[in-house]
Amino acid sequence: SDDNNIARELNQGVALGQPIGGEVLVPLKFTSDSGGGITLDNLLVTTESGYDSTINMSEEWVGLYATGEVYEVVSTHSVAPSTGASVVGASLQFESESGLAEVRWSSANDSFWYASGSDLVSILVALSSSTDTANGKQITWRFRVNPAWQDSESARIFTTLITDSGSEGLPAARLFNPSGLGNAVENDASISQLTVFNQAGAEQTDLSYVHSSNIFTLEGTVRFENLDVAPDPASYSLMFESQNASNLTEWVEVDRLSGVLGGNFSWQPVIPELSAGNDTFRLRLANYTGGNTICPPASLSPDLDCGIPMTVYIDQYSPYLINISVMGLQNWRDLADDTWIPPQANQKFRVVVRDIPETPPSFVLNFWVEAQHDTNNNRIPELSEYQSVPLNADTTDVNGNTTY
């Protein structure tokens, strides 16, 4: 009798095992709800050829994750005429350390149904199908993984045929066992990367000292723990909050972004137009329903709520160019379209800029000299031909005009 699934476990072990000298070692573990011993006597294993199953997947998966996307497995099941049996069903089985699930197809009414584990996977009946083959069936299984499936280092999928004689044959199998730190089944997620750019597109490398107008961009990723796989976008949102200056433990929602398909976001949260001065904000993964929220990497200095804090110095006024001058033989001359001076190996320029409340400590001057930089000889300055040189602040007068 196979009431305890010994035949199925042997078949699955052979399907996943590596033959050595024509033999496959299949370890078996027996469990019981009560104490005592166990003896396995008179075990007779009968094998028969002519029962075949195959498994193909729409792509090579790292594991099984609640991404919201549809997984597809195509299995074929055939029975040799010499067996006298016919295919009456098929089974798609999922196994991991944290749970088991099985979906079956029946030829009686061409239907799909759960044998177990409906909380771990959701079979999409309307998208799944069966077709006839020469000696059996081809089954297309489409399903989603549910967040209720808890973390597991490894996972396995088996496809097995079911015959009217009771024989199942050797199943087709796939093992998921990621080589890195990530699990084959994972539902814990976090903001794994974040970069902030100011309105000018300059990366702000120090999140405690972000300089921008009220328009800045947050670019980052949401991922499952230790994996390059994103959770279901319907399971979370990104929340941008400001710290209450009179109660530092209180955070007030400023803007919210719904989950992003694929987990890569580029977002400009809406900051009030009249904002000025410095404010402390934070970005956090909010209302995640798929599992536990993991804190971002330590390099992003997450707080106790796994939010990423940043202090933004908001400057609403763009720098205003007062003057660009070039040194002639003895004097500074305003630079205009028709300004001419004798050429010099080291040409001096002076730039005067005004900004409120303070001017930036440096600028970049982009310049082009036809004889040196006109690479295609069309006598037209093109963006790719410009050269750059940094300008550092020298002096600032009483009117806030800074010379570089």
Side-chain angles (χ1 to χ4, degrees), residues 278-315:
N278 62 293
D279 287 297
T280 299
F281 300 92
R282 73 175 181 183
L283 176 71
R284 66 181 179 92
L285 189 67
N287 306 120
Y288 178 52
T289 59
N292 295 324
T293 298
I294 304 299
C295 281
S299 59
L300 295 174
S301 303
D303 59 22
L304 295 178
D305 298 321
C306 293
I308 303 173
M310 62 192 76
T311 301
V312 182
Y313 293 80
I314 298 177
D315 181 357

mmCIF file of all heavy atoms in Angstrom, residues 278-315:
data_model
loop_
_atom_site.group_PDB
_atom_site.id
_atom_site.type_symbol
_atom_site.label_atom_id
_atom_site.label_comp_id
_atom_site.label_asym_id
_atom_site.label_seq_id
_atom_site.Cartn_x
_atom_site.Cartn_y
_atom_site.Cartn_z
ATOM 1 N N ASN A 278 16.058 74.346 5.807
ATOM 2 C CA ASN A 278 16.366 72.924 5.908
ATOM 3 C C ASN A 278 15.275 72.172 6.667
ATOM 4 O O ASN A 278 14.752 72.653 7.679
ATOM 5 C CB ASN A 278 17.726 72.701 6.581
ATOM 6 C CG ASN A 278 17.760 73.234 7.998
ATOM 7 O OD1 ASN A 278 17.690 74.434 8.228
ATOM 8 N ND2 ASN A 278 17.895 72.326 8.961
ATOM 9 N N ASP A 279 14.916 71.020 6.115
ATOM 10 C CA ASP A 279 13.905 70.148 6.734
ATOM 11 C C ASP A 279 14.424 68.718 6.702
ATOM 12 O O ASP A 279 15.187 68.328 5.803
ATOM 13 C CB ASP A 279 12.574 70.226 5.979
ATOM 14 C CG ASP A 279 11.846 71.543 6.219
ATOM 15 O OD1 ASP A 279 11.476 71.811 7.368
ATOM 16 O OD2 ASP A 279 11.675 72.307 5.242
ATOM 17 N N THR A 280 13.972 67.937 7.667
ATOM 18 C CA THR A 280 14.339 66.526 7.715
ATOM 19 C C THR A 280 13.179 65.700 7.191
ATOM 20 O O THR A 280 12.049 65.824 7.658
ATOM 21 C CB THR A 280 14.688 66.094 9.147
ATOM 22 O OG1 THR A 280 15.803 66.845 9.609
ATOM 23 C CG2 THR A 280 15.048 64.608 9.190
ATOM 24 N N PHE A 281 13.476 64.884 6.197
ATOM 25 C CA PHE A 281 12.493 63.994 5.591
ATOM 26 C C PHE A 281 12.964 62.552 5.767
ATOM 27 O O PHE A 281 14.091 62.296 6.177
ATOM 28 C CB PHE A 281 12.316 64.303 4.097
ATOM 29 C CG PHE A 281 11.845 65.698 3.786
ATOM 30 C CD1 PHE A 281 12.756 66.718 3.530
ATOM 31 C CD2 PHE A 281 10.497 65.988 3.730
ATOM 32 C CE1 PHE A 281 12.322 68.000 3.236
ATOM 33 C CE2 PHE A 281 10.047 67.263 3.431
ATOM 34 C CZ PHE A 281 10.969 68.275 3.188
ATOM 35 N N ARG A 282 12.076 61.633 5.409
ATOM 36 C CA ARG A 282 12.497 60.236 5.330
ATOM 37 C C ARG A 282 11.641 59.508 4.295
ATOM 38 O O ARG A 282 10.496 59.893 4.015
ATOM 39 C CB ARG A 282 12.407 59.530 6.678
ATOM 40 C CG ARG A 282 11.005 59.206 7.155
ATOM 41 C CD ARG A 282 11.027 58.398 8.457
ATOM 42 N NE ARG A 282 9.679 58.071 8.917
ATOM 43 C CZ ARG A 282 9.412 57.426 10.049
ATOM 44 N NH1 ARG A 282 10.395 57.057 10.849
ATOM 45 N NH2 ARG A 282 8.171 57.145 10.388
ATOM 46 N N LEU A 283 12.212 58.468 3.731
ATOM 47 C CA LEU A 283 11.508 57.594 2.802
ATOM 48 C C LEU A 283 11.430 56.208 3.432
ATOM 49 O O LEU A 283 12.431 55.707 3.956
ATOM 50 C CB LEU A 283 12.263 57.513 1.464
ATOM 51 C CG LEU A 283 11.688 56.551 0.426
ATOM 52 C CD1 LEU A 283 10.369 57.083 -0.131
ATOM 53 C CD2 LEU A 283 12.683 56.319 -0.716
ATOM 54 N N ARG A 284 10.252 55.598 3.376
ATOM 55 C CA ARG A 284 10.138 54.263 3.947
ATOM 56 C C ARG A 284 9.152 53.422 3.147
ATOM 57 O O ARG A 284 8.283 53.936 2.427
ATOM 58 C CB ARG A 284 9.722 54.309 5.414
ATOM 59 C CG ARG A 284 8.330 54.847 5.689
ATOM 60 C CD ARG A 284 8.041 54.868 7.188
ATOM 61 N NE ARG A 284 6.713 55.394 7.479
ATOM 62 C CZ ARG A 284 5.617 54.628 7.591
ATOM 63 N NH1 ARG A 284 5.706 53.317 7.436
ATOM 64 N NH2 ARG A 284 4.446 55.185 7.864
ATOM 65 N N LEU A 285 9.334 52.098 3.271
ATOM 66 C CA LEU A 285 8.414 51.131 2.691
ATOM 67 C C LEU A 285 7.205 51.042 3.620
ATOM 68 O O LEU A 285 7.350 50.698 4.802
ATOM 69 C CB LEU A 285 9.113 49.775 2.569
ATOM 70 C CG LEU A 285 8.410 48.663 1.796
ATOM 71 C CD1 LEU A 285 8.325 49.001 0.321
ATOM 72 C CD2 LEU A 285 9.139 47.342 1.994
ATOM 73 N N ALA A 286 6.017 51.332 3.106
ATOM 74 C CA ALA A 286 4.834 51.438 3.959
ATOM 75 C C ALA A 286 3.791 50.395 3.585
ATOM 76 O O ALA A 286 3.643 50.017 2.418
ATOM 77 C CB ALA A 286 4.228 52.838 3.846
ATOM 78 N N ASN A 287 3.077 49.936 4.609
ATOM 79 C CA ASN A 287 1.909 49.054 4.432
ATOM 80 C C ASN A 287 2.237 47.798 3.627
ATOM 81 O O ASN A 287 1.426 47.337 2.810
ATOM 82 C CB ASN A 287 0.765 49.820 3.748
ATOM 83 C CG ASN A 287 0.407 51.096 4.466
ATOM 84 O OD1 ASN A 287 0.500 52.189 3.900
ATOM 85 N ND2 ASN A 287 0.017 51.000 5.728
ATOM 86 N N TYR A 288 3.424 47.242 3.868
ATOM 87 C CA TYR A 288 3.805 46.026 3.150
ATOM 88 C C TYR A 288 3.070 44.832 3.738
ATOM 89 O O TYR A 288 3.194 44.520 4.931
ATOM 90 C CB TYR A 288 5.319 45.812 3.225
ATOM 91 C CG TYR A 288 5.791 44.555 2.540
ATOM 92 C CD1 TYR A 288 5.425 44.299 1.221
ATOM 93 C CD2 TYR A 288 6.575 43.621 3.210
ATOM 94 C CE1 TYR A 288 5.835 43.143 0.591
ATOM 95 C CE2 TYR A 288 7.002 42.471 2.577
ATOM 96 C CZ TYR A 288 6.629 42.233 1.267
ATOM 97 O OH TYR A 288 7.035 41.084 0.637
ATOM 98 N N THR A 289 2.308 44.150 2.899
ATOM 99 C CA THR A 289 1.466 43.043 3.360
ATOM 100 C C THR A 289 2.024 41.675 2.979
ATOM 101 O O THR A 289 1.431 40.649 3.332
ATOM 102 C CB THR A 289 0.056 43.179 2.762
ATOM 103 O OG1 THR A 289 0.137 43.178 1.321
ATOM 104 C CG2 THR A 289 -0.608 44.469 3.226
ATOM 105 N N GLY A 290 3.139 41.648 2.257
ATOM 106 C CA GLY A 290 3.656 40.378 1.774
ATOM 107 C C GLY A 290 4.477 39.605 2.781
ATOM 108 O O GLY A 290 4.674 38.399 2.625
ATOM 109 N N GLY A 291 5.002 40.260 3.799
ATOM 110 C CA GLY A 291 5.861 39.610 4.778
ATOM 111 C C GLY A 291 6.406 40.650 5.736
ATOM 112 O O GLY A 291 5.752 41.663 6.017
ATOM 113 N N ASN A 292 7.623 40.429 6.222
ATOM 114 C CA ASN A 292 8.253 41.386 7.116
ATOM 115 C C ASN A 292 8.953 42.484 6.314
ATOM 116 O O ASN A 292 9.503 42.242 5.248
ATOM 117 C CB ASN A 292 9.276 40.686 8.016
ATOM 118 C CG ASN A 292 8.617 39.695 8.962
ATOM 119 O OD1 ASN A 292 7.516 39.926 9.442
ATOM 120 N ND2 ASN A 292 9.288 38.581 9.207
ATOM 121 N N THR A 293 8.950 43.697 6.878
ATOM 122 C CA THR A 293 9.696 44.800 6.284
ATOM 123 C C THR A 293 11.103 44.794 6.866
ATOM 124 O O THR A 293 11.288 44.930 8.074
ATOM 125 C CB THR A 293 9.015 46.150 6.563
ATOM 126 O OG1 THR A 293 7.710 46.151 5.967
ATOM 127 C CG2 THR A 293 9.825 47.293 5.980
ATOM 128 N N ILE A 294 12.087 44.637 6.001
ATOM 129 C CA ILE A 294 13.491 44.605 6.407
ATOM 130 C C ILE A 294 14.074 46.009 6.260
ATOM 131 O O ILE A 294 13.755 46.735 5.321
ATOM 132 C CB ILE A 294 14.285 43.606 5.541
ATOM 133 C CG1 ILE A 294 13.639 42.219 5.609
ATOM 134 C CG2 ILE A 294 15.739 43.524 5.986
ATOM 135 C CD1 ILE A 294 13.587 41.616 6.976
ATOM 136 N N CYS A 295 14.938 46.397 7.173
ATOM 137 C CA CYS A 295 15.550 47.716 7.089
ATOM 138 C C CYS A 295 16.516 47.795 5.903
ATOM 139 O O CYS A 295 17.149 46.795 5.537
ATOM 140 C CB CYS A 295 16.303 48.056 8.376
ATOM 141 S SG CYS A 295 15.227 48.617 9.719
ATOM 142 N N PRO A 296 16.637 48.971 5.295
ATOM 143 C CA PRO A 296 17.595 49.172 4.203
ATOM 144 C C PRO A 296 19.031 48.938 4.682
ATOM 145 O O PRO A 296 19.283 48.826 5.890
ATOM 146 C CB PRO A 296 17.369 50.633 3.801
ATOM 147 C CG PRO A 296 15.994 50.958 4.279
ATOM 148 C CD PRO A 296 15.820 50.163 5.542
ATOM 149 N N PRO A 297 19.987 48.888 3.763
ATOM 150 C CA PRO A 297 21.392 48.680 4.152
ATOM 151 C C PRO A 297 21.874 49.748 5.128
ATOM 152 O O PRO A 297 21.391 50.891 5.125
ATOM 153 C CB PRO A 297 22.144 48.776 2.814
ATOM 154 C CG PRO A 297 21.132 48.436 1.778
ATOM 155 C CD PRO A 297 19.823 48.951 2.301
ATOM 156 N N ALA A 298 22.835 49.383 5.969
ATOM 157 C CA ALA A 298 23.359 50.296 6.982
ATOM 158 C C ALA A 298 23.954 51.549 6.359
ATOM 159 O O ALA A 298 23.973 52.615 6.992
ATOM 160 C CB ALA A 298 24.413 49.580 7.831
ATOM 161 N N SER A 299 24.415 51.459 5.112
ATOM 162 C CA SER A 299 25.004 52.628 4.441
ATOM 163 C C SER A 299 23.991 53.744 4.247
ATOM 164 O O SER A 299 24.368 54.902 4.054
ATOM 165 C CB SER A 299 25.594 52.216 3.095
ATOM 166 O OG SER A 299 24.586 51.653 2.258
ATOM 167 N N LEU A 300 22.693 53.429 4.305
ATOM 168 C CA LEU A 300 21.640 54.436 4.161
ATOM 169 C C LEU A 300 21.148 54.942 5.523
ATOM 170 O O LEU A 300 20.206 55.736 5.577
ATOM 171 C CB LEU A 300 20.468 53.859 3.364
ATOM 172 C CG LEU A 300 20.777 53.510 1.900
ATOM 173 C CD1 LEU A 300 19.586 52.820 1.241
ATOM 174 C CD2 LEU A 300 21.170 54.763 1.107
ATOM 175 N N SER A 301 21.773 54.489 6.605
ATOM 176 C CA SER A 301 21.480 54.958 7.969
ATOM 177 C C SER A 301 19.986 54.913 8.308
ATOM 178 O O SER A 301 19.385 55.925 8.695
ATOM 179 C CB SER A 301 22.007 56.396 8.158
ATOM 180 O OG SER A 301 23.383 56.464 7.899
ATOM 181 N N PRO A 302 19.347 53.746 8.178
ATOM 182 C CA PRO A 302 17.914 53.672 8.477
ATOM 183 C C PRO A 302 17.626 53.927 9.950
ATOM 184 O O PRO A 302 18.458 53.651 10.819
ATOM 185 C CB PRO A 302 17.553 52.232 8.091
ATOM 186 C CG PRO A 302 18.837 51.479 8.217
ATOM 187 C CD PRO A 302 19.910 52.434 7.809
ATOM 188 N N ASP A 303 16.428 54.468 10.218
ATOM 189 C CA ASP A 303 16.029 54.705 11.603
ATOM 190 C C ASP A 303 15.329 53.465 12.156
ATOM 191 O O ASP A 303 15.291 52.403 11.516
ATOM 192 C CB ASP A 303 15.146 55.953 11.714
ATOM 193 C CG ASP A 303 13.869 55.864 10.872
ATOM 194 O OD1 ASP A 303 13.448 54.728 10.547
ATOM 195 O OD2 ASP A 303 13.292 56.915 10.537
ATOM 196 N N LEU A 304 14.745 53.589 13.343
ATOM 197 C CA LEU A 304 14.132 52.437 14.005
ATOM 198 C C LEU A 304 12.896 51.938 13.269
ATOM 199 O O LEU A 304 12.489 50.785 13.457
ATOM 200 C CB LEU A 304 13.772 52.799 15.451
ATOM 201 C CG LEU A 304 14.962 53.112 16.376
ATOM 202 C CD1 LEU A 304 14.461 53.504 17.764
ATOM 203 C CD2 LEU A 304 15.926 51.925 16.464
ATOM 204 N N ASP A 305 12.296 52.787 12.442
ATOM 205 C CA ASP A 305 11.134 52.382 11.655
ATOM 206 C C ASP A 305 11.528 51.917 10.260
ATOM 207 O O ASP A 305 10.664 51.758 9.391
ATOM 208 C CB ASP A 305 10.139 53.546 11.537
ATOM 209 C CG ASP A 305 9.594 53.987 12.885
ATOM 210 O OD1 ASP A 305 9.348 53.095 13.724
ATOM 211 O OD2 ASP A 305 9.417 55.197 13.092
ATOM 212 N N CYS A 306 12.833 51.721 10.044
ATOM 213 C CA CYS A 306 13.371 51.303 8.746
ATOM 214 C C CYS A 306 13.154 52.365 7.666
ATOM 215 O O CYS A 306 13.137 52.061 6.471
ATOM 216 C CB CYS A 306 12.786 49.971 8.281
ATOM 217 S SG CYS A 306 13.302 48.576 9.337
ATOM 218 N N GLY A 307 12.966 53.622 8.095
ATOM 219 C CA GLY A 307 12.927 54.724 7.146
ATOM 220 C C GLY A 307 14.327 55.240 6.858
ATOM 221 O O GLY A 307 15.248 55.075 7.663
ATOM 222 N N ILE A 308 14.494 55.881 5.703
ATOM 223 C CA ILE A 308 15.786 56.446 5.311
ATOM 224 C C ILE A 308 15.706 57.964 5.490
ATOM 225 O O ILE A 308 15.058 58.654 4.696
ATOM 226 C CB ILE A 308 16.118 56.106 3.853
ATOM 227 C CG1 ILE A 308 16.100 54.590 3.647
ATOM 228 C CG2 ILE A 308 17.474 56.679 3.459
ATOM 229 C CD1 ILE A 308 16.262 54.171 2.190
ATOM 230 N N PRO A 309 16.339 58.506 6.535
ATOM 231 C CA PRO A 309 16.240 59.950 6.777
ATOM 232 C C PRO A 309 17.176 60.739 5.874
ATOM 233 O O PRO A 309 18.229 60.239 5.431
ATOM 234 C CB PRO A 309 16.648 60.083 8.246
ATOM 235 C CG PRO A 309 17.553 58.916 8.484
ATOM 236 C CD PRO A 309 17.093 57.810 7.592
ATOM 237 N N MET A 310 16.791 61.973 5.602
ATOM 238 C CA MET A 310 17.633 62.891 4.827
ATOM 239 C C MET A 310 17.301 64.319 5.229
ATOM 240 O O MET A 310 16.138 64.653 5.488
ATOM 241 C CB MET A 310 17.424 62.681 3.324
ATOM 242 C CG MET A 310 16.017 62.959 2.833
ATOM 243 S SD MET A 310 15.729 62.367 1.152
ATOM 244 C CE MET A 310 15.550 60.594 1.443
ATOM 245 N N THR A 311 18.330 65.143 5.313
ATOM 246 C CA THR A 311 18.136 66.554 5.606
ATOM 247 C C THR A 311 18.322 67.324 4.315
ATOM 248 O O THR A 311 19.382 67.253 3.685
ATOM 249 C CB THR A 311 19.138 67.054 6.661
ATOM 250 O OG1 THR A 311 18.964 66.293 7.861
ATOM 251 C CG2 THR A 311 18.910 68.519 6.958
ATOM 252 N N VAL A 312 17.276 68.035 3.913
ATOM 253 C CA VAL A 312 17.277 68.737 2.631
ATOM 254 C C VAL A 312 17.326 70.238 2.884
ATOM 255 O O VAL A 312 16.468 70.788 3.583
ATOM 256 C CB VAL A 312 16.031 68.374 1.795
ATOM 257 C CG1 VAL A 312 16.081 69.081 0.442
ATOM 258 C CG2 VAL A 312 15.935 66.867 1.600
ATOM 259 N N TYR A 313 18.338 70.876 2.334
ATOM 260 C CA TYR A 313 18.473 72.338 2.389
ATOM 261 C C TYR A 313 17.833 72.883 1.121
ATOM 262 O O TYR A 313 18.408 72.820 0.032
ATOM 263 C CB TYR A 313 19.941 72.725 2.508
ATOM 264 C CG TYR A 313 20.560 72.320 3.828
ATOM 265 C CD1 TYR A 313 20.974 71.002 4.040
ATOM 266 C CD2 TYR A 313 20.689 73.229 4.870
ATOM 267 C CE1 TYR A 313 21.509 70.613 5.259
ATOM 268 C CE2 TYR A 313 21.226 72.847 6.093
ATOM 269 C CZ TYR A 313 21.640 71.539 6.277
ATOM 270 O OH TYR A 313 22.169 71.156 7.484
ATOM 271 N N ILE A 314 16.628 73.425 1.285
ATOM 272 C CA ILE A 314 15.824 73.826 0.130
ATOM 273 C C ILE A 314 16.129 75.274 -0.230
ATOM 274 O O ILE A 314 15.955 76.188 0.577
ATOM 275 C CB ILE A 314 14.323 73.643 0.416
ATOM 276 C CG1 ILE A 314 14.032 72.163 0.681
ATOM 277 C CG2 ILE A 314 13.485 74.140 -0.741
ATOM 278 C CD1 ILE A 314 12.589 71.870 1.045
ATOM 279 N N ASP A 315 16.589 75.459 -1.444
ATOM 280 C CA ASP A 315 16.905 76.791 -1.983
ATOM 281 C C ASP A 315 16.055 76.972 -3.230
ATOM 282 O O ASP A 315 16.283 76.338 -4.259
ATOM 283 C CB ASP A 315 18.396 76.870 -2.321
ATOM 284 C CG ASP A 315 18.795 78.245 -2.863
ATOM 285 O OD1 ASP A 315 17.906 79.101 -3.015
ATOM 286 O OD2 ASP A 315 19.986 78.435 -3.145
#
